[in-house]
Amino acid sequence: MKASDVVVSCLENESVEYVFGIIGKEVIDLGDSLSASEKITYIPVRHEQGAAFMADVYGRISGKPGVCLATLGPGATNLVTGIASANLDHSPVIALTGQKALEDQHKNSHQYIDIQKVYEPVTKWAIQIKSANTIPEIIRKSFRIACEEKPGAVVIELPETISAENVTTEPLAVSGLPKSVPAAETLVQAAQVINKSQRPFIIVGNGVIRQDAIMEVQSFMAQLGSPSATSFMAKGILPKDHPQNFYTFGFMEKDYVLRGFEEADLLIVIGFDMIEKLPSEWNKKKVPVIHMAATAADVDEYYLVQAELVGNLKETVPLLLLNNLNPKPWQPSGKLKNRIEESYSIVEKVRTNSTLTIETILHVLEKVQTENTIVISDVGSHKVAIARTYQPMHAKQLIISNGFASMGIAIPGAIGAKLAAPNKTVVCITGDGGALMNFAELETAKRLGLSFIIILLNNSMLKLEVDTMKKTFGDSFGVTFTNPDFNQLAESFGVRGMKATNVEEFEAMLTEAMNSHGDIVLIDTIVQKA
């Protein structure tokens, strides 16, 4: 058996369903081996960045590593943005790249760069296979590292000559990751701190979603009855109209939820990642903290830990509830919840006109969405609006690129989402800037026979930068452009295009698209300009 066959056997052993990528000369053996697999579907994409974004979103939704493939040199570097995004958002991803033969790596060889060094800053682990016999060990270790809290990206570099070597090694047995829980005395200490508090505020982060602890955290919230808020990536933990739901925090300005934090005498922080927002930006008054997460708290002068519960959240939260927690219902002053709803446009106001804005688009989406709708947000001013205004029906149904905040994720992300959850309705929202970065992946989606909806916000600008520059300098520069006819462009890919210029048109088109099973639909929305 050649080494590339062993690689594919190891991937099959890890229950890999899809590999997204572009095959180049240095990985043709791996491509040949993938062609013989009856368990793995290889998906050729149009750009390696798209492959990484597909693997990222597939990993977030499925809970198991997404896998992508590139050749050496420019193929490998084209993956970097998507890999860095997955790593900072703690999505499990495995990237396989080609490389020059070992005997050529000391020379100034054609297309050679040290891929391992390139990836070390943006992954949990980057490794080059130097002996074909180590392939099973390296792949098994890579999948464990990618899935261990906090999950992230691993890059495996395979020199071209090793791929064709004959070896006799076999995949290693797959074993589950251990689930630890805090010591009993630590749980008692945390319960005592909670019971002594008068005004605890619950903060929920992405770790709760990753560890499938949603129901357990909901039970904890119900027991305490305290106000709660989530990070961008944990939206949907509580229903929109739940009295404890104080929505989302993490904004650069008008972050009204922080007023509730400031009135609290204890912040109960569950599964929060520092990458979501540094404590210096949301805990300026240094309110004491209970830290609950799979990993220990980072040292931070604005994150003063009174009790630290380190362990798997799905196992840990029920154990804490066994310690006779007293209910702690309270309400921040000044009708804060109502003020948040008004400021964040969470409650739709009576329309005075039919102008399309991102807020009216989101209200229509909420109106027509179903229990099975997954929304993918690209990056731009609309991401901030989505984080503020849009309320998913359930957790794990809103995907936002937050850590690296990379434009271009929405369309390839929709492909990854649809493959991970084929029975869900996938809607991606993208600006005209982000859309054209990976628009070519519509050909990939069409070839795969997928169906999803693209809401394209058409305003011929990078609106977040326009707004920021105008606020800072009084004018903007270098952040506007002209657009193609998106309907014609979509239709050239065999994708149905529509154009909405007002709210009524958009609602009718989105309703129709939600019922167009089996099709990809792009709705070009002409949004109000600044």
PDB file of all heavy atoms in Angstrom, residues 360-397:
ATOM      1  N   THR A 360     -34.373  46.106   8.382  1.00  0.00           N
ATOM      2  CA  THR A 360     -35.652  45.618   7.845  1.00  0.00           C
ATOM      3  C   THR A 360     -35.471  44.254   7.185  1.00  0.00           C
ATOM      4  O   THR A 360     -36.357  43.394   7.267  1.00  0.00           O
ATOM      5  CB  THR A 360     -36.247  46.625   6.833  1.00  0.00           C
ATOM      6  OG1 THR A 360     -35.310  46.865   5.775  1.00  0.00           O
ATOM      7  CG2 THR A 360     -36.603  47.930   7.498  1.00  0.00           C
ATOM      8  N   ILE A 361     -34.342  44.039   6.555  1.00  0.00           N
ATOM      9  CA  ILE A 361     -34.050  42.721   5.968  1.00  0.00           C
ATOM     10  C   ILE A 361     -34.025  41.649   7.045  1.00  0.00           C
ATOM     11  O   ILE A 361     -34.585  40.557   6.886  1.00  0.00           O
ATOM     12  CB  ILE A 361     -32.712  42.777   5.193  1.00  0.00           C
ATOM     13  CG1 ILE A 361     -32.909  43.543   3.883  1.00  0.00           C
ATOM     14  CG2 ILE A 361     -32.162  41.381   4.932  1.00  0.00           C
ATOM     15  CD1 ILE A 361     -31.620  43.882   3.163  1.00  0.00           C
ATOM     16  N   LEU A 362     -33.401  41.955   8.171  1.00  0.00           N
ATOM     17  CA  LEU A 362     -33.311  40.975   9.265  1.00  0.00           C
ATOM     18  C   LEU A 362     -34.672  40.716   9.896  1.00  0.00           C
ATOM     19  O   LEU A 362     -34.970  39.580  10.289  1.00  0.00           O
ATOM     20  CB  LEU A 362     -32.310  41.457  10.311  1.00  0.00           C
ATOM     21  CG  LEU A 362     -30.851  41.533   9.828  1.00  0.00           C
ATOM     22  CD1 LEU A 362     -29.963  42.152  10.895  1.00  0.00           C
ATOM     23  CD2 LEU A 362     -30.334  40.156   9.428  1.00  0.00           C
ATOM     24  N   HIS A 363     -35.501  41.734   9.991  1.00  0.00           N
ATOM     25  CA  HIS A 363     -36.838  41.528  10.547  1.00  0.00           C
ATOM     26  C   HIS A 363     -37.672  40.631   9.632  1.00  0.00           C
ATOM     27  O   HIS A 363     -38.423  39.770  10.110  1.00  0.00           O
ATOM     28  CB  HIS A 363     -37.547  42.876  10.749  1.00  0.00           C
ATOM     29  CG  HIS A 363     -36.971  43.673  11.877  1.00  0.00           C
ATOM     30  ND1 HIS A 363     -36.853  45.040  11.831  1.00  0.00           N
ATOM     31  CD2 HIS A 363     -36.465  43.292  13.080  1.00  0.00           C
ATOM     32  CE1 HIS A 363     -36.311  45.469  12.969  1.00  0.00           C
ATOM     33  NE2 HIS A 363     -36.066  44.432  13.732  1.00  0.00           N
ATOM     34  N   VAL A 364     -37.534  40.814   8.335  1.00  0.00           N
ATOM     35  CA  VAL A 364     -38.247  39.940   7.399  1.00  0.00           C
ATOM     36  C   VAL A 364     -37.726  38.511   7.522  1.00  0.00           C
ATOM     37  O   VAL A 364     -38.507  37.550   7.530  1.00  0.00           O
ATOM     38  CB  VAL A 364     -38.101  40.453   5.951  1.00  0.00           C
ATOM     39  CG1 VAL A 364     -38.636  39.418   4.958  1.00  0.00           C
ATOM     40  CG2 VAL A 364     -38.830  41.774   5.775  1.00  0.00           C
ATOM     41  N   LEU A 365     -36.414  38.360   7.622  1.00  0.00           N
ATOM     42  CA  LEU A 365     -35.837  37.024   7.776  1.00  0.00           C
ATOM     43  C   LEU A 365     -36.373  36.334   9.029  1.00  0.00           C
ATOM     44  O   LEU A 365     -36.738  35.151   8.994  1.00  0.00           O
ATOM     45  CB  LEU A 365     -34.310  37.111   7.825  1.00  0.00           C
ATOM     46  CG  LEU A 365     -33.559  35.801   8.073  1.00  0.00           C
ATOM     47  CD1 LEU A 365     -33.887  34.761   7.018  1.00  0.00           C
ATOM     48  CD2 LEU A 365     -32.059  36.053   8.125  1.00  0.00           C
ATOM     49  N   GLU A 366     -36.434  37.062  10.136  1.00  0.00           N
ATOM     50  CA  GLU A 366     -37.000  36.486  11.366  1.00  0.00           C
ATOM     51  C   GLU A 366     -38.449  36.061  11.162  1.00  0.00           C
ATOM     52  O   GLU A 366     -38.898  35.050  11.681  1.00  0.00           O
ATOM     53  CB  GLU A 366     -36.920  37.492  12.508  1.00  0.00           C
ATOM     54  CG  GLU A 366     -35.598  37.487  13.252  1.00  0.00           C
ATOM     55  CD  GLU A 366     -35.679  38.271  14.549  1.00  0.00           C
ATOM     56  OE1 GLU A 366     -36.676  38.133  15.279  1.00  0.00           O
ATOM     57  OE2 GLU A 366     -34.738  39.036  14.817  1.00  0.00           O
ATOM     58  N   LYS A 367     -39.177  36.854  10.399  1.00  0.00           N
ATOM     59  CA  LYS A 367     -40.601  36.580  10.184  1.00  0.00           C
ATOM     60  C   LYS A 367     -40.814  35.290   9.396  1.00  0.00           C
ATOM     61  O   LYS A 367     -41.742  34.517   9.688  1.00  0.00           O
ATOM     62  CB  LYS A 367     -41.231  37.767   9.445  1.00  0.00           C
ATOM     63  CG  LYS A 367     -42.712  37.619   9.138  1.00  0.00           C
ATOM     64  CD  LYS A 367     -43.228  38.871   8.415  1.00  0.00           C
ATOM     65  CE  LYS A 367     -44.692  38.737   8.026  1.00  0.00           C
ATOM     66  NZ  LYS A 367     -45.176  39.951   7.302  1.00  0.00           N
ATOM     67  N   VAL A 368     -39.965  35.021   8.417  1.00  0.00           N
ATOM     68  CA  VAL A 368     -40.200  33.868   7.532  1.00  0.00           C
ATOM     69  C   VAL A 368     -39.337  32.653   7.877  1.00  0.00           C
ATOM     70  O   VAL A 368     -39.544  31.578   7.317  1.00  0.00           O
ATOM     71  CB  VAL A 368     -39.966  34.257   6.044  1.00  0.00           C
ATOM     72  CG1 VAL A 368     -40.832  35.427   5.657  1.00  0.00           C
ATOM     73  CG2 VAL A 368     -38.498  34.542   5.761  1.00  0.00           C
ATOM     74  N   GLN A 369     -38.375  32.808   8.791  1.00  0.00           N
ATOM     75  CA  GLN A 369     -37.514  31.674   9.129  1.00  0.00           C
ATOM     76  C   GLN A 369     -38.310  30.562   9.808  1.00  0.00           C
ATOM     77  O   GLN A 369     -39.414  30.788  10.324  1.00  0.00           O
ATOM     78  CB  GLN A 369     -36.373  32.125  10.041  1.00  0.00           C
ATOM     79  CG  GLN A 369     -36.799  32.491  11.452  1.00  0.00           C
ATOM     80  CD  GLN A 369     -35.645  32.967  12.311  1.00  0.00           C
ATOM     81  OE1 GLN A 369     -34.487  32.826  11.962  1.00  0.00           O
ATOM     82  NE2 GLN A 369     -35.950  33.543  13.460  1.00  0.00           N
ATOM     83  N   THR A 370     -37.739  29.381   9.800  1.00  0.00           N
ATOM     84  CA  THR A 370     -38.374  28.226  10.440  1.00  0.00           C
ATOM     85  C   THR A 370     -37.474  27.701  11.546  1.00  0.00           C
ATOM     86  O   THR A 370     -36.376  28.220  11.781  1.00  0.00           O
ATOM     87  CB  THR A 370     -38.605  27.104   9.411  1.00  0.00           C
ATOM     88  OG1 THR A 370     -37.333  26.552   9.020  1.00  0.00           O
ATOM     89  CG2 THR A 370     -39.340  27.624   8.180  1.00  0.00           C
ATOM     90  N   GLU A 371     -37.937  26.649  12.215  1.00  0.00           N
ATOM     91  CA  GLU A 371     -37.148  26.018  13.274  1.00  0.00           C
ATOM     92  C   GLU A 371     -35.827  25.467  12.739  1.00  0.00           C
ATOM     93  O   GLU A 371     -34.902  25.233  13.499  1.00  0.00           O
ATOM     94  CB  GLU A 371     -37.956  24.875  13.903  1.00  0.00           C
ATOM     95  CG  GLU A 371     -39.221  25.301  14.610  1.00  0.00           C
ATOM     96  CD  GLU A 371     -38.962  25.834  16.012  1.00  0.00           C
ATOM     97  OE1 GLU A 371     -37.874  25.549  16.554  1.00  0.00           O
ATOM     98  OE2 GLU A 371     -39.842  26.515  16.552  1.00  0.00           O
ATOM     99  N   ASN A 372     -35.756  25.238  11.434  1.00  0.00           N
ATOM    100  CA  ASN A 372     -34.588  24.594  10.843  1.00  0.00           C
ATOM    101  C   ASN A 372     -33.739  25.538   9.999  1.00  0.00           C
ATOM    102  O   ASN A 372     -33.018  25.094   9.114  1.00  0.00           O
ATOM    103  CB  ASN A 372     -35.035  23.405   9.976  1.00  0.00           C
ATOM    104  CG  ASN A 372     -35.620  22.287  10.818  1.00  0.00           C
ATOM    105  OD1 ASN A 372     -35.102  21.969  11.876  1.00  0.00           O
ATOM    106  ND2 ASN A 372     -36.709  21.697  10.347  1.00  0.00           N
ATOM    107  N   THR A 373     -33.805  26.829  10.275  1.00  0.00           N
ATOM    108  CA  THR A 373     -33.034  27.798   9.483  1.00  0.00           C
ATOM    109  C   THR A 373     -31.675  28.051  10.116  1.00  0.00           C
ATOM    110  O   THR A 373     -31.567  28.357  11.301  1.00  0.00           O
ATOM    111  CB  THR A 373     -33.795  29.127   9.358  1.00  0.00           C
ATOM    112  OG1 THR A 373     -35.054  28.893   8.701  1.00  0.00           O
ATOM    113  CG2 THR A 373     -32.996  30.138   8.557  1.00  0.00           C
ATOM    114  N   ILE A 374     -30.626  27.912   9.308  1.00  0.00           N
ATOM    115  CA  ILE A 374     -29.263  28.266   9.709  1.00  0.00           C
ATOM    116  C   ILE A 374     -28.860  29.503   8.916  1.00  0.00           C
ATOM    117  O   ILE A 374     -29.013  29.544   7.696  1.00  0.00           O
ATOM    118  CB  ILE A 374     -28.269  27.123   9.430  1.00  0.00           C
ATOM    119  CG1 ILE A 374     -28.574  25.914  10.311  1.00  0.00           C
ATOM    120  CG2 ILE A 374     -26.823  27.584   9.655  1.00  0.00           C
ATOM    121  CD1 ILE A 374     -27.710  24.692  10.006  1.00  0.00           C
ATOM    122  N   VAL A 375     -28.332  30.509   9.604  1.00  0.00           N
ATOM    123  CA  VAL A 375     -27.898  31.744   8.952  1.00  0.00           C
ATOM    124  C   VAL A 375     -26.381  31.861   9.060  1.00  0.00           C
ATOM    125  O   VAL A 375     -25.812  31.693  10.140  1.00  0.00           O
ATOM    126  CB  VAL A 375     -28.574  32.978   9.586  1.00  0.00           C
ATOM    127  CG1 VAL A 375     -27.992  34.272   9.023  1.00  0.00           C
ATOM    128  CG2 VAL A 375     -30.082  32.934   9.350  1.00  0.00           C
ATOM    129  N   ILE A 376     -25.738  32.124   7.917  1.00  0.00           N
ATOM    130  CA  ILE A 376     -24.296  32.359   7.869  1.00  0.00           C
ATOM    131  C   ILE A 376     -24.077  33.840   7.603  1.00  0.00           C
ATOM    132  O   ILE A 376     -24.601  34.382   6.624  1.00  0.00           O
ATOM    133  CB  ILE A 376     -23.619  31.561   6.734  1.00  0.00           C
ATOM    134  CG1 ILE A 376     -24.135  30.126   6.676  1.00  0.00           C
ATOM    135  CG2 ILE A 376     -22.109  31.633   6.851  1.00  0.00           C
ATOM    136  CD1 ILE A 376     -23.645  29.228   7.735  1.00  0.00           C
ATOM    137  N   SER A 377     -23.312  34.501   8.455  1.00  0.00           N
ATOM    138  CA  SER A 377     -23.032  35.925   8.258  1.00  0.00           C
ATOM    139  C   SER A 377     -21.633  36.121   7.714  1.00  0.00           C
ATOM    140  O   SER A 377     -20.667  35.586   8.260  1.00  0.00           O
ATOM    141  CB  SER A 377     -23.167  36.683   9.583  1.00  0.00           C
ATOM    142  OG  SER A 377     -22.706  38.024   9.436  1.00  0.00           O
ATOM    143  N   ASP A 378     -21.523  36.893   6.643  1.00  0.00           N
ATOM    144  CA  ASP A 378     -20.204  37.344   6.204  1.00  0.00           C
ATOM    145  C   ASP A 378     -19.763  38.484   7.126  1.00  0.00           C
ATOM    146  O   ASP A 378     -20.449  38.810   8.097  1.00  0.00           O
ATOM    147  CB  ASP A 378     -20.255  37.778   4.738  1.00  0.00           C
ATOM    148  CG  ASP A 378     -18.971  37.434   3.985  1.00  0.00           C
ATOM    149  OD1 ASP A 378     -17.879  37.696   4.533  1.00  0.00           O
ATOM    150  OD2 ASP A 378     -19.061  36.896   2.873  1.00  0.00           O
ATOM    151  N   VAL A 379     -18.643  39.094   6.814  1.00  0.00           N
ATOM    152  CA  VAL A 379     -18.075  40.128   7.673  1.00  0.00           C
ATOM    153  C   VAL A 379     -18.244  41.490   7.013  1.00  0.00           C
ATOM    154  O   VAL A 379     -18.073  41.644   5.805  1.00  0.00           O
ATOM    155  CB  VAL A 379     -16.590  39.838   7.950  1.00  0.00           C
ATOM    156  CG1 VAL A 379     -15.935  40.995   8.694  1.00  0.00           C
ATOM    157  CG2 VAL A 379     -16.460  38.544   8.757  1.00  0.00           C
ATOM    158  N   GLY A 380     -18.597  42.472   7.820  1.00  0.00           N
ATOM    159  CA  GLY A 380     -18.827  43.837   7.365  1.00  0.00           C
ATOM    160  C   GLY A 380     -19.764  44.510   8.343  1.00  0.00           C
ATOM    161  O   GLY A 380     -20.036  43.986   9.432  1.00  0.00           O
ATOM    162  N   SER A 381     -20.299  45.655   7.982  1.00  0.00           N
ATOM    163  CA  SER A 381     -21.211  46.347   8.897  1.00  0.00           C
ATOM    164  C   SER A 381     -22.447  45.500   9.165  1.00  0.00           C
ATOM    165  O   SER A 381     -23.050  45.583  10.236  1.00  0.00           O
ATOM    166  CB  SER A 381     -21.620  47.702   8.318  1.00  0.00           C
ATOM    167  OG  SER A 381     -22.368  47.541   7.126  1.00  0.00           O
ATOM    168  N   HIS A 382     -22.836  44.671   8.198  1.00  0.00           N
ATOM    169  CA  HIS A 382     -24.004  43.823   8.399  1.00  0.00           C
ATOM    170  C   HIS A 382     -23.762  42.773   9.479  1.00  0.00           C
ATOM    171  O   HIS A 382     -24.705  42.332  10.128  1.00  0.00           O
ATOM    172  CB  HIS A 382     -24.416  43.146   7.088  1.00  0.00           C
ATOM    173  CG  HIS A 382     -23.358  42.287   6.487  1.00  0.00           C
ATOM    174  ND1 HIS A 382     -22.338  42.796   5.720  1.00  0.00           N
ATOM    175  CD2 HIS A 382     -23.150  40.952   6.543  1.00  0.00           C
ATOM    176  CE1 HIS A 382     -21.563  41.812   5.316  1.00  0.00           C
ATOM    177  NE2 HIS A 382     -22.022  40.682   5.807  1.00  0.00           N
ATOM    178  N   LYS A 383     -22.514  42.356   9.685  1.00  0.00           N
ATOM    179  CA  LYS A 383     -22.231  41.402  10.758  1.00  0.00           C
ATOM    180  C   LYS A 383     -22.581  42.009  12.119  1.00  0.00           C
ATOM    181  O   LYS A 383     -23.176  41.347  12.977  1.00  0.00           O
ATOM    182  CB  LYS A 383     -20.751  40.995  10.753  1.00  0.00           C
ATOM    183  CG  LYS A 383     -20.436  39.907  11.768  1.00  0.00           C
ATOM    184  CD  LYS A 383     -18.938  39.675  11.955  1.00  0.00           C
ATOM    185  CE  LYS A 383     -18.392  40.499  13.086  1.00  0.00           C
ATOM    186  NZ  LYS A 383     -17.035  40.095  13.506  1.00  0.00           N
ATOM    187  N   VAL A 384     -22.232  43.268  12.296  1.00  0.00           N
ATOM    188  CA  VAL A 384     -22.561  43.954  13.549  1.00  0.00           C
ATOM    189  C   VAL A 384     -24.077  44.051  13.693  1.00  0.00           C
ATOM    190  O   VAL A 384     -24.631  43.810  14.777  1.00  0.00           O
ATOM    191  CB  VAL A 384     -21.920  45.352  13.584  1.00  0.00           C
ATOM    192  CG1 VAL A 384     -22.289  46.078  14.871  1.00  0.00           C
ATOM    193  CG2 VAL A 384     -20.401  45.238  13.451  1.00  0.00           C
ATOM    194  N   ALA A 385     -24.767  44.387  12.593  1.00  0.00           N
ATOM    195  CA  ALA A 385     -26.230  44.485  12.642  1.00  0.00           C
ATOM    196  C   ALA A 385     -26.856  43.136  12.956  1.00  0.00           C
ATOM    197  O   ALA A 385     -27.819  43.042  13.736  1.00  0.00           O
ATOM    198  CB  ALA A 385     -26.760  45.024  11.310  1.00  0.00           C
ATOM    199  N   ILE A 386     -26.332  42.069  12.365  1.00  0.00           N
ATOM    200  CA  ILE A 386     -26.852  40.726  12.640  1.00  0.00           C
ATOM    201  C   ILE A 386     -26.640  40.376  14.101  1.00  0.00           C
ATOM    202  O   ILE A 386     -27.533  39.843  14.770  1.00  0.00           O
ATOM    203  CB  ILE A 386     -26.188  39.697  11.703  1.00  0.00           C
ATOM    204  CG1 ILE A 386     -26.683  39.894  10.264  1.00  0.00           C
ATOM    205  CG2 ILE A 386     -26.469  38.266  12.158  1.00  0.00           C
ATOM    206  CD1 ILE A 386     -25.891  39.140   9.220  1.00  0.00           C
ATOM    207  N   ALA A 387     -25.453  40.675  14.622  1.00  0.00           N
ATOM    208  CA  ALA A 387     -25.175  40.379  16.028  1.00  0.00           C
ATOM    209  C   ALA A 387     -26.098  41.167  16.961  1.00  0.00           C
ATOM    210  O   ALA A 387     -26.497  40.672  18.018  1.00  0.00           O
ATOM    211  CB  ALA A 387     -23.713  40.692  16.339  1.00  0.00           C
ATOM    212  N   ARG A 388     -26.460  42.371  16.586  1.00  0.00           N
ATOM    213  CA  ARG A 388     -27.356  43.190  17.406  1.00  0.00           C
ATOM    214  C   ARG A 388     -28.823  42.776  17.242  1.00  0.00           C
ATOM    215  O   ARG A 388     -29.537  42.529  18.205  1.00  0.00           O
ATOM    216  CB  ARG A 388     -27.243  44.670  17.018  1.00  0.00           C
ATOM    217  CG  ARG A 388     -25.999  45.388  17.458  1.00  0.00           C
ATOM    218  CD  ARG A 388     -26.124  46.857  17.074  1.00  0.00           C
ATOM    219  NE  ARG A 388     -24.906  47.611  17.326  1.00  0.00           N
ATOM    220  CZ  ARG A 388     -24.605  48.172  18.503  1.00  0.00           C
ATOM    221  NH1 ARG A 388     -25.429  48.053  19.511  1.00  0.00           N
ATOM    222  NH2 ARG A 388     -23.479  48.847  18.645  1.00  0.00           N
ATOM    223  N   THR A 389     -29.276  42.731  15.993  1.00  0.00           N
ATOM    224  CA  THR A 389     -30.710  42.708  15.705  1.00  0.00           C
ATOM    225  C   THR A 389     -31.277  41.304  15.534  1.00  0.00           C
ATOM    226  O   THR A 389     -32.334  40.982  16.081  1.00  0.00           O
ATOM    227  CB  THR A 389     -30.984  43.532  14.431  1.00  0.00           C
ATOM    228  OG1 THR A 389     -30.506  44.871  14.628  1.00  0.00           O
ATOM    229  CG2 THR A 389     -32.461  43.565  14.102  1.00  0.00           C
ATOM    230  N   TYR A 390     -30.632  40.470  14.751  1.00  0.00           N
ATOM    231  CA  TYR A 390     -31.209  39.178  14.374  1.00  0.00           C
ATOM    232  C   TYR A 390     -31.233  38.215  15.557  1.00  0.00           C
ATOM    233  O   TYR A 390     -30.254  38.076  16.290  1.00  0.00           O
ATOM    234  CB  TYR A 390     -30.413  38.569  13.225  1.00  0.00           C
ATOM    235  CG  TYR A 390     -30.861  37.163  12.871  1.00  0.00           C
ATOM    236  CD1 TYR A 390     -32.095  36.941  12.274  1.00  0.00           C
ATOM    237  CD2 TYR A 390     -30.056  36.071  13.165  1.00  0.00           C
ATOM    238  CE1 TYR A 390     -32.517  35.655  11.963  1.00  0.00           C
ATOM    239  CE2 TYR A 390     -30.464  34.786  12.850  1.00  0.00           C
ATOM    240  CZ  TYR A 390     -31.690  34.581  12.256  1.00  0.00           C
ATOM    241  OH  TYR A 390     -32.108  33.310  11.956  1.00  0.00           O
ATOM    242  N   GLN A 391     -32.365  37.549  15.730  1.00  0.00           N
ATOM    243  CA  GLN A 391     -32.536  36.583  16.820  1.00  0.00           C
ATOM    244  C   GLN A 391     -32.857  35.206  16.236  1.00  0.00           C
ATOM    245  O   GLN A 391     -33.967  34.977  15.749  1.00  0.00           O
ATOM    246  CB  GLN A 391     -33.666  37.023  17.765  1.00  0.00           C
ATOM    247  CG  GLN A 391     -33.480  38.406  18.356  1.00  0.00           C
ATOM    248  CD  GLN A 391     -32.203  38.538  19.171  1.00  0.00           C
ATOM    249  OE1 GLN A 391     -31.898  37.679  19.997  1.00  0.00           O
ATOM    250  NE2 GLN A 391     -31.462  39.607  18.944  1.00  0.00           N
ATOM    251  N   PRO A 392     -31.890  34.281  16.237  1.00  0.00           N
ATOM    252  CA  PRO A 392     -32.177  32.927  15.763  1.00  0.00           C
ATOM    253  C   PRO A 392     -33.143  32.227  16.699  1.00  0.00           C
ATOM    254  O   PRO A 392     -33.233  32.569  17.886  1.00  0.00           O
ATOM    255  CB  PRO A 392     -30.806  32.251  15.767  1.00  0.00           C
ATOM    256  CG  PRO A 392     -30.021  32.997  16.802  1.00  0.00           C
ATOM    257  CD  PRO A 392     -30.513  34.410  16.752  1.00  0.00           C
ATOM    258  N   MET A 393     -33.842  31.239  16.177  1.00  0.00           N
ATOM    259  CA  MET A 393     -34.788  30.504  17.021  1.00  0.00           C
ATOM    260  C   MET A 393     -34.072  29.626  18.039  1.00  0.00           C
ATOM    261  O   MET A 393     -34.573  29.397  19.141  1.00  0.00           O
ATOM    262  CB  MET A 393     -35.712  29.652  16.152  1.00  0.00           C
ATOM    263  CG  MET A 393     -36.756  30.447  15.393  1.00  0.00           C
ATOM    264  SD  MET A 393     -37.972  29.368  14.610  1.00  0.00           S
ATOM    265  CE  MET A 393     -39.143  30.571  13.977  1.00  0.00           C
ATOM    266  N   HIS A 394     -32.892  29.117  17.659  1.00  0.00           N
ATOM    267  CA  HIS A 394     -32.170  28.197  18.533  1.00  0.00           C
ATOM    268  C   HIS A 394     -30.674  28.490  18.462  1.00  0.00           C
ATOM    269  O   HIS A 394     -30.200  29.135  17.521  1.00  0.00           O
ATOM    270  CB  HIS A 394     -32.425  26.740  18.132  1.00  0.00           C
ATOM    271  CG  HIS A 394     -33.871  26.357  18.128  1.00  0.00           C
ATOM    272  ND1 HIS A 394     -34.604  26.211  19.281  1.00  0.00           N
ATOM    273  CD2 HIS A 394     -34.734  26.119  17.101  1.00  0.00           C
ATOM    274  CE1 HIS A 394     -35.844  25.877  18.975  1.00  0.00           C
ATOM    275  NE2 HIS A 394     -35.953  25.831  17.654  1.00  0.00           N
ATOM    276  N   ALA A 395     -29.955  27.982  19.450  1.00  0.00           N
ATOM    277  CA  ALA A 395     -28.498  28.088  19.419  1.00  0.00           C
ATOM    278  C   ALA A 395     -27.944  27.224  18.297  1.00  0.00           C
ATOM    279  O   ALA A 395     -28.593  26.299  17.814  1.00  0.00           O
ATOM    280  CB  ALA A 395     -27.918  27.636  20.761  1.00  0.00           C
ATOM    281  N   LYS A 396     -26.734  27.555  17.866  1.00  0.00           N
ATOM    282  CA  LYS A 396     -26.019  26.829  16.804  1.00  0.00           C
ATOM    283  C   LYS A 396     -26.674  27.019  15.441  1.00  0.00           C
ATOM    284  O   LYS A 396     -26.434  26.252  14.522  1.00  0.00           O
ATOM    285  CB  LYS A 396     -25.911  25.337  17.124  1.00  0.00           C
ATOM    286  CG  LYS A 396     -24.719  24.630  16.491  1.00  0.00           C
ATOM    287  CD  LYS A 396     -24.610  23.194  16.959  1.00  0.00           C
ATOM    288  CE  LYS A 396     -23.421  22.507  16.332  1.00  0.00           C
ATOM    289  NZ  LYS A 396     -23.258  21.106  16.806  1.00  0.00           N
ATOM    290  N   GLN A 397     -27.513  28.045  15.312  1.00  0.00           N
ATOM    291  CA  GLN A 397     -28.159  28.309  14.030  1.00  0.00           C
ATOM    292  C   GLN A 397     -27.768  29.669  13.457  1.00  0.00           C
ATOM    293  O   GLN A 397     -28.370  30.141  12.494  1.00  0.00           O
ATOM    294  CB  GLN A 397     -29.676  28.178  14.162  1.00  0.00           C
ATOM    295  CG  GLN A 397     -30.108  26.745  14.398  1.00  0.00           C
ATOM    296  CD  GLN A 397     -31.604  26.520  14.360  1.00  0.00           C
ATOM    297  OE1 GLN A 397     -32.076  25.453  14.703  1.00  0.00           O
ATOM    298  NE2 GLN A 397     -32.369  27.521  13.971  1.00  0.00           N
TER     299      GLN A 397
END
